[in-house]
Amino acid sequence: MAYTFDELIAMQRAAEQAHNRVQELRVQYGPPTHTKWTPTQARTYETAMRAWRDLARDVQAAVAEYAKAQGEQRSEVEAAVKRGTQHPEA
């Protein structure tokens, strides 16, 4: 699948939101190694971690595909995508 740069930015934003959710759960529940979580908390956290991991993997694959198709270095595309999530007007 060919991705547009705007799609890469949207994917990166989704991954960042998923990461923020994981961080929120860590604050809410306490550190996973220092706090006894309920089974529901453990499942919620694991689901959030899985979502973050999957979204991050997908965006990395899309960035690599986009860079190859555009003839650009992957690291440069990745940096541009991250800048694009911070500064939408750029």
Side-chain angles (χ1 to χ4, degrees), residues 7-73:
E7 289 171 324
L8 297 178
I9 289 174
M11 292 174 75
Q12 179 65 35
R13 283 190 179 129
E16 289 173 1
Q17 288 174 343
H19 182 230
N20 289 341
R21 178 64 179 146
V22 169
Q23 290 177 318
E24 289 169 1
L25 290 172
R26 285 183 182 163
V27 169
Q28 182 180 352
Y29 297 163
T33 57
H34 295 97
T35 307
K36 179 84 170 133
W37 289 353
T38 68
T40 300
Q41 288 173 321
R43 281 191 304 275
T44 300
Y45 183 80
E46 180 57 35
T47 299
M49 283 292 293
R50 220 177 3 259
W52 173 36
R53 181 193 63 223
D54 292 349
L55 289 167
R57 179 199 60 223
D58 292 349
V59 75
Q60 290 299 311
V63 164
E65 183 179 320
Y66 179 89
K68 184 176 181 181
Q70 298 297 314
E72 299 178 23
Q73 289 188 0

